[in-house]
Amino acid sequence: MKTQNYIELETNYGAKNYKPLDVVLTRGQGIWVWDVEGNKYLDFLASYSAVNQGHCHPKIAEVMKTQLDRLTLTSRAFRNDQLGLFYKELCELTHSHVALPMNSGAEAVESCIKAVRKWGYKVKGIPEGQAEIIVCANNFHGRTITIVGFSTEEQYRDGYAPFTPGFKIIPFGDAAALEAAITSNTVAFLLEPIQGEAGIIVPPEGYLREVRRICTEYDIAMITDEIQTGLGRTGKLLAEEHEGVEADITLIGKALSGGFYPVSAVLSNKEVLGIFQPGDHGSTFGGNPLACAVARIALKVLVEEGMIENSAKMGDYLMEKLRGIRSQHIKEVRGRGLFIGVELYPEAGGARRFCEAMMARGLLCKETHKHVIRFAPPLIIQKDDIDWAFERIEEVLTTL
Ligand SMILES: *Cc1c(COP(=O)(O)O)cnc(C)c1O
């Protein structure tokens, strides 16, 4: 079958909730992927940061294969020999007290919303049904009804009402707005340290520190959604480290499995997650031995193979090169580590055509919103490969 045949299958039988670039991939290794025609591409998106460790990392694949033959699912009705080790290694690495394993990122977000609300009622004494959670404009936290209910993106909400109440939206990057929005019923502030889907929006220096101070002062839980910014993407294990702060709750997912399996987690201090009693929350697949084994090795290679430091180094290198491009289309280059957005002027005609032109030259990246090109390659990328990609990026941005 050819590319077109695969696309027809998707068009005929699939829901149309995505508009992917027309490349049909069949194999991946490290930073490279191959399509069904045998063409090779450098993956400069890394599955929205789910394959930070590179495609089909051999060590993760090996552990997964071994675990596949041993035990995959027990449900939480019984214990398994991977979960405790996963908890310990994850908590030690991230300086968390307790962790709650889930599957998708959205489930981690939902789980922490349940936890902070319950904490608000049982510990803070907020009147039942009155808990408020503050979130940011242009947030992205997933696609469930509750989560899109507090999105400011019209398309994410359109046609899905009624939504879950109890959320208040403030501008991102504005600590004074947070302080002003807090009431006696506020339980938490949920934010992305760098807004990803909004177009790689980096908040002003000192913002996270201010947020930390305010959350502590008013005794509300600071929740950082690091599902995309975490696990080395921005050049630190967690993006909050750039400002030396620790959130009360941190959400991770995506690269937690190196792209092999859906694994997410809520990382928390003892106080908030400690609120859950047996039966309060659950997930059939959450914490299963296959997920735990895969996540343990995915974290191990991330740290042991120096991917976090490499992200910082290669990110700086790429950013500097991108800032040197002389193109009338570029409005701004921004980001941190290997999490970089190039915003184009509206006159450039949208980022998509630039992504398509890069694809034709063997480089896969994706527009984020209309005018931003996101560059987020696997964190194992080396200088030579950045140079290779940069040649193509520069050519496209200066000749199109
Ligand atoms: C991807 C993402 C999510 C949702 O994760 P899913 O696994 O797609 O449910 C939540 N928050 C952020 C910041 C994300 O980037």
Side-chain angles (χ1 to χ4, degrees):
M1 293 210 306
K2 295 286 213 188
T3 295
Q4 208 46 48
N5 306 117
Y6 290 99
I7 293 174
E8 272 162 29
L9 285 176
E10 290 192 15
T11 309
N12 292 341
Y13 296 106
K16 314 268 183 308
N17 56 325
Y18 277 99
K19 191 186 175 211
L21 292 181
D22 284 336
V23 58
V24 180
L25 301 173
T26 183
R27 191 161 73 84
Q29 190 185 24
I31 59 171
W32 299 98
V33 288
W34 286 262
D35 72 10
V36 290
E37 322 260 342
N39 300 307
K40 182 182 175 187
Y41 303 85
L42 205 173
D43 181 358
F44 235 56
L45 180 67
S47 307
Y48 298 97
S49 301
V51 287
N52 285 358
Q53 296 88 338
H55 288 275
C56 301
H57 191 292
K59 285 189 180 151
I60 306 175
E62 191 189 311
V63 166
M64 185 161 182
K65 286 173 195 164
T66 306
Q67 188 64 40
L68 270 178
D69 289 330
R70 188 177 285 161
L71 185 67
T72 58
L73 185 62
T74 55
S75 83
R76 298 290 300 279
F78 312 114
R79 300 180 191 269
N80 73 70
D81 65 359
Q82 292 296 314
L83 182 58
L85 292 165
F86 174 49
Y87 281 153
K88 179 172 190 285
E89 291 162 11
L90 181 61
C91 287
E92 284 177 359
L93 182 65
T94 60
H95 307 121
S96 310
H97 298 155
V98 270
L100 169 73
M102 296 296 287
N103 310 285
S104 69
E107 282 178 304
V109 176
E110 288 272 349
S111 304
C112 100
I113 290 170
K114 288 169 83 174
V116 292
R117 280 184 170 181
K118 199 181 255 300
W119 171 74
Y121 299 130
K122 310 286 177 195
V123 176
K124 281 175 56 100
I126 289 169
E128 187 63 34
Q130 302 296 306
E132 289 171 0
I133 296 172
I134 300 171
V135 300
C136 292
N138 303 313
N139 69 72
F140 183 83
H141 299 290
R143 298 288 204 155
T144 64
I145 286 284
T146 291
I147 295 171
V148 299
F150 59 78
S151 171
T152 54
E153 187 68 31
E154 204 32 58
Q155 194 194 357
Y156 294 175
R157 299 163 50 87
D158 182 38
Y160 300 139
F163 299 114
T164 311
F167 298 91
K168 203 183 243 183
I169 300 168
I170 61 167
F172 179 65
D174 182 347
L178 171 62
E179 201 154 10
I182 293 171
T183 72
S184 57
N185 290 336
T186 305
V187 292
F189 177 45
L190 166 64
L191 78 161
E192 300 155 82
I194 294 176
Q195 288 190 322
E197 299 312 298
I200 321 290
I201 310 295
V202 184
E205 167 73 30
Y207 176 61
L208 295 182
R209 273 195 303 276
E210 263 304 279
V211 167
R212 178 66 275 176
R213 179 192 66 75
I214 293 165
C215 289
T216 302
E217 189 176 326
Y218 292 87
D219 192 25
I220 66 173
M222 175 177 176
I223 309 169
T224 44
D225 180 345
E226 297 242 22
I227 292 168
Q228 193 161 166
T229 54
L231 304 182
R233 176 49 58 190
T234 69
K236 300 272 190 197
L237 178 72
L238 298 173
E240 63 176 25
E241 293 169 37
H242 288 292
E243 295 206 3
V245 302
E246 282 192 21
D248 299 297
I249 301 183
T250 296
L251 310 173
I252 56 173
K254 293 203 165 102
L256 184 50
S257 71
F260 280 76
Y261 197 83
V263 189
S264 65
V266 179
L267 308 172
S268 165
N269 57 24
K270 276 224 158 65
E271 197 178 326
V272 178
L273 266 187
I275 204 70
F276 281 149
Q277 298 298 314
D280 281 349
H281 186 56
S283 161
T284 303
F285 279 83
N288 75 69
L290 183 60
C292 293
V294 167
R296 290 177 62 205
I297 184 71
L299 289 174
K300 189 163 185 235
V301 301
L302 189 81
V303 173
E304 281 185 358
E305 295 177 18
M307 294 179 197
I308 303 167
E309 296 78 10
N310 191 59
S311 171
K313 216 164 79 193
M314 291 300 123
D316 287 349
Y317 180 65
L318 176 58
M319 182 89 80
E320 193 177 317
K321 287 177 81 89
L322 290 171
R323 288 195 165 137
I325 297 179
R326 304 174 71 84
S327 158
Q328 84 268 21
H329 300 309
I330 298 179
K331 186 175 168 198
E332 192 185 22
V333 179
R334 56 181 180 247
R336 216 154 207 177
L338 283 169
F339 198 40
I340 300 177
V342 175
E343 182 171 350
L344 308 178
Y345 286 109
E347 296 76 40
R352 175 127 183 150
R353 68 187 188 102
F354 293 87
C355 294
E356 283 168 351
M358 287 183 215
M359 180 178 101
R361 290 162 175 80
L363 186 69
L364 292 183
C365 49
K366 190 75 167 65
E367 76 274 13
T368 297
H369 275 96
K370 218 170 154 33
H371 303 295
V372 181
I373 311 176
R374 169 181 2 207
F375 295 127
L379 309 184
I380 56 171
I381 196 165
Q382 298 297 311
K383 212 162 169 243
D384 288 352
D385 308 310
I386 298 238
D387 291 339
W388 186 93
F390 179 76
E391 262 179 53
R392 281 142 188 90
I393 294 167
E394 184 174 42
E395 187 193 322
V396 165
L397 284 167
T398 52
T399 58
L400 223 62

PDB file of all heavy atoms in Angstrom, residues 104-106 140-142 192 225 227-228 254, ligand 1:
ATOM      1  N   SER A 104      -3.709   8.541  31.079  1.00  0.00           N
ATOM      2  CA  SER A 104      -3.514   9.715  30.228  1.00  0.00           C
ATOM      3  C   SER A 104      -3.239  10.951  31.075  1.00  0.00           C
ATOM      4  O   SER A 104      -3.491  10.968  32.288  1.00  0.00           O
ATOM      5  CB  SER A 104      -4.762   9.960  29.389  1.00  0.00           C
ATOM      6  OG  SER A 104      -5.825  10.373  30.220  1.00  0.00           O
ATOM      7  N   GLY A 105      -2.757  11.992  30.399  1.00  0.00           N
ATOM      8  CA  GLY A 105      -2.524  13.257  31.077  1.00  0.00           C
ATOM      9  C   GLY A 105      -3.817  13.842  31.621  1.00  0.00           C
ATOM     10  O   GLY A 105      -3.865  14.329  32.758  1.00  0.00           O
ATOM     11  N   ALA A 106      -4.863  13.801  30.809  1.00  0.00           N
ATOM     12  CA  ALA A 106      -6.149  14.367  31.238  1.00  0.00           C
ATOM     13  C   ALA A 106      -6.637  13.697  32.522  1.00  0.00           C
ATOM     14  O   ALA A 106      -7.209  14.349  33.396  1.00  0.00           O
ATOM     15  CB  ALA A 106      -7.178  14.220  30.125  1.00  0.00           C
ATOM     16  N   PHE A 140      -3.893  24.708  28.429  1.00  0.00           N
ATOM     17  CA  PHE A 140      -4.246  23.405  27.854  1.00  0.00           C
ATOM     18  C   PHE A 140      -3.964  22.335  28.892  1.00  0.00           C
ATOM     19  O   PHE A 140      -2.825  22.134  29.310  1.00  0.00           O
ATOM     20  CB  PHE A 140      -3.475  23.068  26.567  1.00  0.00           C
ATOM     21  CG  PHE A 140      -3.941  21.750  26.002  1.00  0.00           C
ATOM     22  CD1 PHE A 140      -5.074  21.688  25.198  1.00  0.00           C
ATOM     23  CD2 PHE A 140      -3.291  20.565  26.310  1.00  0.00           C
ATOM     24  CE1 PHE A 140      -5.540  20.470  24.715  1.00  0.00           C
ATOM     25  CE2 PHE A 140      -3.763  19.346  25.834  1.00  0.00           C
ATOM     26  CZ  PHE A 140      -4.882  19.304  25.034  1.00  0.00           C
ATOM     27  N   HIS A 141      -5.028  21.626  29.313  1.00  0.00           N
ATOM     28  CA  HIS A 141      -4.856  20.574  30.302  1.00  0.00           C
ATOM     29  C   HIS A 141      -5.503  19.259  29.875  1.00  0.00           C
ATOM     30  O   HIS A 141      -5.594  18.333  30.677  1.00  0.00           O
ATOM     31  CB  HIS A 141      -5.428  21.023  31.653  1.00  0.00           C
ATOM     32  CG  HIS A 141      -4.764  22.246  32.219  1.00  0.00           C
ATOM     33  ND1 HIS A 141      -3.466  22.232  32.698  1.00  0.00           N
ATOM     34  CD2 HIS A 141      -5.198  23.522  32.362  1.00  0.00           C
ATOM     35  CE1 HIS A 141      -3.141  23.451  33.121  1.00  0.00           C
ATOM     36  NE2 HIS A 141      -4.171  24.246  32.925  1.00  0.00           N
ATOM     37  N   GLY A 142      -5.962  19.180  28.629  1.00  0.00           N
ATOM     38  CA  GLY A 142      -6.566  17.928  28.176  1.00  0.00           C
ATOM     39  C   GLY A 142      -7.965  18.168  27.611  1.00  0.00           C
ATOM     40  O   GLY A 142      -8.363  19.305  27.377  1.00  0.00           O
ATOM     41  N   GLU A 192       0.361  25.812  33.738  1.00  0.00           N
ATOM     42  CA  GLU A 192       1.515  25.231  33.056  1.00  0.00           C
ATOM     43  C   GLU A 192       2.685  26.207  33.269  1.00  0.00           C
ATOM     44  O   GLU A 192       2.510  27.401  33.065  1.00  0.00           O
ATOM     45  CB  GLU A 192       1.245  25.130  31.545  1.00  0.00           C
ATOM     46  CG  GLU A 192       0.052  24.282  31.146  1.00  0.00           C
ATOM     47  CD  GLU A 192      -0.499  24.703  29.780  1.00  0.00           C
ATOM     48  OE1 GLU A 192       0.050  24.279  28.756  1.00  0.00           O
ATOM     49  OE2 GLU A 192      -1.475  25.472  29.747  1.00  0.00           O
ATOM     50  N   ASP A 225       1.045  21.793  35.923  1.00  0.00           N
ATOM     51  CA  ASP A 225       0.840  20.776  34.895  1.00  0.00           C
ATOM     52  C   ASP A 225       2.120  20.703  34.074  1.00  0.00           C
ATOM     53  O   ASP A 225       2.388  21.561  33.231  1.00  0.00           O
ATOM     54  CB  ASP A 225      -0.359  21.140  34.017  1.00  0.00           C
ATOM     55  CG  ASP A 225      -0.607  20.104  32.911  1.00  0.00           C
ATOM     56  OD1 ASP A 225       0.296  19.286  32.645  1.00  0.00           O
ATOM     57  OD2 ASP A 225      -1.695  20.129  32.307  1.00  0.00           O
ATOM     58  N   ILE A 227       2.956  18.050  32.274  1.00  0.00           N
ATOM     59  CA  ILE A 227       2.774  16.903  31.386  1.00  0.00           C
ATOM     60  C   ILE A 227       3.597  17.080  30.107  1.00  0.00           C
ATOM     61  O   ILE A 227       4.154  16.120  29.577  1.00  0.00           O
ATOM     62  CB  ILE A 227       1.269  16.697  31.099  1.00  0.00           C
ATOM     63  CG1 ILE A 227       0.566  16.243  32.385  1.00  0.00           C
ATOM     64  CG2 ILE A 227       1.047  15.693  29.966  1.00  0.00           C
ATOM     65  CD1 ILE A 227      -0.949  16.285  32.331  1.00  0.00           C
ATOM     66  N   GLN A 228       3.712  18.323  29.662  1.00  0.00           N
ATOM     67  CA  GLN A 228       4.537  18.580  28.479  1.00  0.00           C
ATOM     68  C   GLN A 228       5.887  19.211  28.822  1.00  0.00           C
ATOM     69  O   GLN A 228       6.908  18.871  28.217  1.00  0.00           O
ATOM     70  CB  GLN A 228       3.772  19.487  27.499  1.00  0.00           C
ATOM     71  CG  GLN A 228       4.412  19.534  26.136  1.00  0.00           C
ATOM     72  CD  GLN A 228       3.478  20.022  25.025  1.00  0.00           C
ATOM     73  OE1 GLN A 228       3.932  20.342  23.951  1.00  0.00           O
ATOM     74  NE2 GLN A 228       2.198  20.077  25.252  1.00  0.00           N
ATOM     75  N   LYS A 254       2.912  11.952  29.353  1.00  0.00           N
ATOM     76  CA  LYS A 254       3.679  11.928  28.109  1.00  0.00           C
ATOM     77  C   LYS A 254       4.995  11.130  28.217  1.00  0.00           C
ATOM     78  O   LYS A 254       4.973   9.925  28.149  1.00  0.00           O
ATOM     79  CB  LYS A 254       3.881  13.361  27.619  1.00  0.00           C
ATOM     80  CG  LYS A 254       2.533  13.987  27.199  1.00  0.00           C
ATOM     81  CD  LYS A 254       2.658  15.128  26.230  1.00  0.00           C
ATOM     82  CE  LYS A 254       1.313  15.455  25.592  1.00  0.00           C
ATOM     83  NZ  LYS A 254       0.638  16.619  26.152  1.00  0.00           N
TER      84      LYS A 254
HETATM   85  C1  LIG B   1      -0.822  16.698  26.464  1.00  0.00           C
HETATM   86  C2  LIG B   1      -1.179  17.511  27.652  1.00  0.00           C
HETATM   87  C3  LIG B   1      -2.241  17.137  28.513  1.00  0.00           C
HETATM   88  C4  LIG B   1      -3.165  15.988  28.212  1.00  0.00           C
HETATM   89  O1  LIG B   1      -2.533  14.762  28.115  1.00  0.00           O
HETATM   90  P1  LIG B   1      -3.303  13.552  27.397  1.00  0.00           P
HETATM   91  O2  LIG B   1      -2.407  12.375  27.637  1.00  0.00           O
HETATM   92  O3  LIG B   1      -3.416  13.905  25.949  1.00  0.00           O
HETATM   93  O4  LIG B   1      -4.630  13.413  28.048  1.00  0.00           O
HETATM   94  C5  LIG B   1      -2.446  17.903  29.643  1.00  0.00           C
HETATM   95  N1  LIG B   1      -1.694  18.977  29.912  1.00  0.00           N
HETATM   96  C6  LIG B   1      -0.686  19.375  29.114  1.00  0.00           C
HETATM   97  C7  LIG B   1       0.129  20.566  29.481  1.00  0.00           C
HETATM   98  C8  LIG B   1      -0.408  18.665  27.945  1.00  0.00           C
HETATM   99  O5  LIG B   1       0.563  19.077  27.126  1.00  0.00           O
END
